[in-house]
């Protein structure tokens, strides 16, 4: 029995190690053609956002373009995803701990896609160590854009506004995906990058650092 138990434990540890290091290949892309699109991956410490040129985001039309046109002025749009309550709350963190625990440990939490207009190039606001700049082919960008759009919950083909900050601030649109500890904001960003052709390690993509490492590995391989 002791030998069988040891084999079972070893098997479980091996399975866990394999899942931890498992890599999901990025979506296959045709040879690069056409004008490249610059996208920034922004590391906020806890979570990651994507900074996308507004013109490229809206050029494809559809629900995501409609959502982008509804936000304030700016040549760039920051895109993020998270829990429909915790993500949009800007009150002091010490008063939000119970809600954070709810968001982490209760499965099936509603979520939102954030679109936040930026008047200047985000590369100037985020230092190099907290930013990675991507040069995507049109095909890769369409993969990224399509994955973001696929997160939106639509009503009659249009995005549903969940919450808007005052003035020209961020707008949050309902998403059909669910937030919990098994699927966090950085995991969502990793999957968006995966749709743009980046290899990702899904189970490790719980931290902003792993999302940045995803980009760095691709750059090293290139």
């Amino acid at each position: 029995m002791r030998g069988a138990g040891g084999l079972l434990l070893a098997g479980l540890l091996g399975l866990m190690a394999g899942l931890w290091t498992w890599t999901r290949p990025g979506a296959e892309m045709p040879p690069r053609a056409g004008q490249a699109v610059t996208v920034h991956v922004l590391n906020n410490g806890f979570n990651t956002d994507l900074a996308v040129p507004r013109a490229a985001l809206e050029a494809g039309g559809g629900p995501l373009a409609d959502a982008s046109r509804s936000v304030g002025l700016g040549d760039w749009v920051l895109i993020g995803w998270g829990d429909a309550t915790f993500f949009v709350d800007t009150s002091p963190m010490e008063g939000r701990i119970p809600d954070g625990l709810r968001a982490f440990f209760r499965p099936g939490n509603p979520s939102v896609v954030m679109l936040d207009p930026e008047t200047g190039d985000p590369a100037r606001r985020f230092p190099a160590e907290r930013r990675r700049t991507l040069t995507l082919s049109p095909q890769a960008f369409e993969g990224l854009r399509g994955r973001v759009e696929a997160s939106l919950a639509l009503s009659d083909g249009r995005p549903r506004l969940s919450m808007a900050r005052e003035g020209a601030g961020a707008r949050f649109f309902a998403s059909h995906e669910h937030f919990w500890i098994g699927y966090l904001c950085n995991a969502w960003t990793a999957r968006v990058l995966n749709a743009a052709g980046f290899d990702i390690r899904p189970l490790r993509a719980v931290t902003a650092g792993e999302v940045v490492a995803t980009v760095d590995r691709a750059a090293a391989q290139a």
Side-chain angles (χ1 to χ4, degrees):
M1 292 295 292
R2 185 177 301 173
L7 288 174
L8 178 60
L9 178 60
L12 287 174
L13 291 175
L15 177 62
M16 291 173 62
L19 290 173
W20 185 247
T21 57
W22 168 59
T23 298
R24 177 188 292 172
E28 291 191 15
M29 294 293 160
R32 185 183 294 268
Q35 185 173 0
V37 181
T38 298
V39 172
H40 302 298
V41 178
L42 307 177
N43 179 357
N44 298 305
F46 178 74
N47 70 300
T48 45
D49 293 331
L50 299 169
V52 178
R54 189 169 194 159
L57 193 65
E58 297 178 3
L64 184 57
D66 291 342
S68 176
R69 294 187 187 105
S70 73
V71 304
L73 298 177
D75 292 333
W76 292 81
V77 176
L78 305 189
I79 303 175
W81 177 88
D83 180 79
T85 302
F86 188 82
F87 185 42
V88 305
D89 193 349
T90 57
S91 61
M93 183 62 71
E94 56 267 23
R96 300 167 56 196
I97 293 175
D99 189 52
L101 293 174
R102 182 272 313 161
F104 266 61
F105 296 112
R106 191 186 75 181
N109 296 297
S111 66
V112 289
V113 175
M114 178 195 76
L115 299 183
D116 190 5
E118 280 274 318
T119 55
D121 189 340
R124 298 180 181 178
R125 186 161 65 86
F126 280 77
E129 64 271 16
R130 293 177 54 203
R131 167 180 45 84
R132 295 296 185 270
T133 299
L134 314 177
T135 303
L136 301 180
S137 69
Q139 296 84 358
F141 179 77
E142 278 307 304
L144 179 149
R145 184 186 182 282
R147 180 60 181 82
V148 174
E149 186 170 78
S151 292
L152 295 172
L154 305 179
S155 296
D156 297 325
R158 300 185 64 83
R160 288 194 287 111
L161 180 65
S162 179
M163 199 278 280
R165 291 193 177 137
E166 294 183 4
R171 288 194 165 206
F172 299 85
F173 297 87
S175 171
H176 63 83
E177 300 184 84
H178 296 116
F179 184 95
W180 69 298
I181 197 169
Y183 188 43
L184 300 175
C185 49
N186 294 312
W188 182 85
T189 304
R191 283 159 175 75
V192 172
L193 293 175
N194 191 235
F198 289 79
D199 296 346
I200 65 170
R201 297 183 293 201
L203 292 187
R204 298 179 65 165
V206 296
T207 66
E210 174 61 22
V211 175
V212 170
T214 295
V215 178
D216 290 344
R217 287 194 304 271
Q221 292 171 0

